[in-house]
Amino acid sequence: MRSIVYRRSLSFTSGAGQLMAMQVRAMRAAGIDTQLACQRGAFRFWLRAGLRAQRMSDAALHELSGTPELLVIDHGMELPGARIVFVHNLMAEARRYLDRPDIDVAAAREQEFFARLNPQALVVANSKLVRNAIVDHYGWPDEQLQVCYPGFRADVFSRERRAQLRSQARRSLGITDESPLIGFVTSGDLHKRGLGIFIDAATEMLAERPDLRFLITGSRTLPEWMRQHTLLRRGRLLHRPRGRHPERWMSALDVFLYPARYEEFGMVVMEACALGVPVITSRRVGAAECLPDLTAPWLCDSPEPREFARLGLALLADEMARANLSRQGSAIAGAYSHARYAERSLSIIAPRLK
């Protein structure tokens, strides 16, 4: 049986695009005749990932979805006839925490997709958080739901890599090795990932620890409302635009604060763990399920600025706790590497090829 792995718009800078590349390579290595398909981004994806994607129209893909000898794997919730659907974002759940028109529109499209989805399709969530939300919102059968945690690039994010990058990154930021630095790193959608919550928490922390510095990276520019913020004007807050090597700035951090209002998984959490950077986040982030037990005291039930500030100050004051979180975080991160993701996704796909 042949297979097609599809997403309408391919980008290797997105988490979904990187996971698709891992998946396609694993399937081909296993001897599965696998084609990568999209409508946009094929050329740039080939330049960045080294994988060629065939451009296909909606009509062609919908026709192929009904071909018995073809396994269609949808990574964008766009092909209701697909036999396997990998869910990277769940708008129905995001809408509970984000009051935005674009979320409402996306949630309506998502609802229509599930209403038309092949009743025999296997739906693969990227966390238990998402799996449970799919049941709540769409009543998808339990036996047709699985969880496949995403994988980070272990060749890029590691304790050894952090040791190489930390001092140089801090010099570039204009801070000493001893200056306490708390960071917020994301690949986009600053509102969903909680930029405002981070700023409020930083303001509270700075009132008690005037020596603190904060770093935001993950966007070309800061929102208009941030540009004259007191933290920026006082030089307490630094910003670096999104780049191809987020591990550089993450390595400079003493604490990684991820205050997402809602996040289906949050690969940056596992990347920080792999680097050995202690993490503070909330249980509204899917990746929190993967953190070691030692992390429990540093998890909020919901992303509240005052609670994040309290935890941030406490963790900065506890050198032993930071060392333990660093060690245990990097120890468990190996279970969520790109290689392990390839193994997990292949174990889900292979039985459907029979």
Side-chain angles (χ1 to χ4, degrees):
M1 182 180 288
R2 295 184 300 118
S3 63
I4 287 182
V5 178
Y6 173 80
R7 187 175 175 89
R8 183 185 297 273
S9 182
L10 270 181
S11 172
F12 195 65
T13 61
S14 74
Q18 292 174 22
L19 294 174
M20 290 172 69
M22 297 173 196
Q23 190 175 94
V24 167
R25 287 194 171 100
M27 293 172 70
R28 289 176 177 174
I32 301 169
D33 183 356
T34 305
Q35 181 179 344
L36 183 63
C38 68
Q39 292 190 21
R40 299 186 300 271
F43 181 68
R44 287 189 177 181
F45 195 83
W46 171 63
L47 291 177
R48 293 293 305 276
L51 289 172
R52 293 189 181 276
Q54 182 176 345
R55 291 188 180 88
M56 287 189 172
S57 67
D58 279 337
L61 281 158
H62 283 296
E63 184 177 347
L64 287 172
S65 294
T67 305
E69 64 273 14
L70 184 69
L71 178 68
V72 176
I73 303 169
D74 180 6
H75 277 265
M77 290 196 290
E78 295 152 334
L79 301 175
R83 293 176 58 189
I84 302 179
V85 177
F86 280 80
V87 176
H88 300 278
N89 299 286
L90 196 70
M91 294 298 102
E93 186 69 5
R95 187 167 53 179
R96 292 179 59 190
Y97 311 106
L98 300 166
D99 184 14
R100 288 178 4 197
D102 61 318
I103 298 291
D104 293 339
V105 171
R109 286 198 301 265
E110 180 183 279
Q111 186 174 18
E112 181 184 0
F113 172 81
F114 270 97
R116 298 171 55 210
L117 182 57
N118 170 12
Q120 302 303 315
L122 177 67
V123 176
V124 184
N126 55 359
S127 65
K128 293 176 184 176
L129 185 72
V130 170
R131 181 196 181 282
N132 294 340
I134 290 172
V135 173
D136 290 344
H137 290 285
Y138 301 115
W140 204 252
D142 185 71
E143 64 273 13
Q144 289 169 233
L145 274 169
Q146 290 198 35
V147 172
C148 184
Y149 291 116
F152 68 93
R153 295 178 59 193
D155 57 326
V156 172
F157 298 91
S158 67
R159 290 176 69 91
E160 294 75 21
R161 188 72 174 137
R162 183 189 184 202
Q164 294 169 359
L165 295 173
R166 180 178 166 86
S167 293
Q168 189 276 332
R170 284 181 159 244
R171 285 196 299 272
S172 295
L173 293 169
I175 61 176
T176 66
D177 286 346
E178 293 74 28
S179 296
L181 181 65
I182 297 177
F184 168 61
V185 181
T186 180
S187 60
D189 198 339
L190 295 175
H191 176 68
K192 180 182 179 185
R193 273 60 186 259
L195 174 61
I197 297 171
F198 180 85
I199 294 301
D200 289 346
T203 301
E204 288 210 23
M205 282 186 270
L206 196 62
E208 291 197 32
R209 287 279 306 265
D211 61 326
L212 295 184
R213 304 288 290 274
F214 302 91
L215 173 66
I216 296 170
T217 182
S219 63
R220 290 184 179 180
T221 60
L222 290 174
E224 186 66 34
W225 64 268
M226 271 290 304
R227 294 177 189 173
Q228 297 302 318
H229 198 281
T230 302
L231 292 179
L232 277 173
R233 287 191 281 107
R234 291 174 57 189
R236 294 291 95 189
L237 175 65
L238 305 169
H239 171 251
R240 291 296 181 272
R242 176 181 175 180
R244 295 186 178 182
H245 300 287
E247 71 276 10
R248 180 189 186 196
W249 304 125
M250 291 177 78
S251 294
L253 304 179
D254 293 300
V255 172
F256 177 62
L257 173 56
Y258 195 61
R261 290 176 167 85
Y262 172 71
E263 181 68 79
E264 289 84 352
F265 185 70
M267 182 56 65
V268 288
V269 171
M270 299 317 300
E271 290 169 348
C273 284
L275 288 166
V277 180
V279 173
I280 295 175
T281 189
S282 83
R283 292 182 175 85
R284 281 196 203 160
V285 173
E289 301 165 14
C290 305
L291 295 175
D293 293 341
L294 187 68
T295 306
W298 310 102
L299 287 178
C300 300
D301 288 331
S302 60
E304 298 294 336
R306 183 164 295 177
E307 184 64 5
F308 279 140
R310 183 187 72 79
L311 292 176
L313 290 170
L315 189 53
L316 285 172
D318 193 335
E319 185 176 353
M320 182 174 292
R322 293 200 311 277
N324 288 337
L325 286 173
S326 173
R327 184 174 59 256
Q328 288 202 13
S330 59
I332 63 97
Y336 305 97
S337 68
H338 62 299
R340 295 296 292 274
Y341 172 77
E343 292 173 4
R344 285 193 296 271
S345 63
L346 191 59
S347 71
I348 290 170
I349 293 166
R352 294 269 164 158
L353 290 165
K354 297 176 182 177

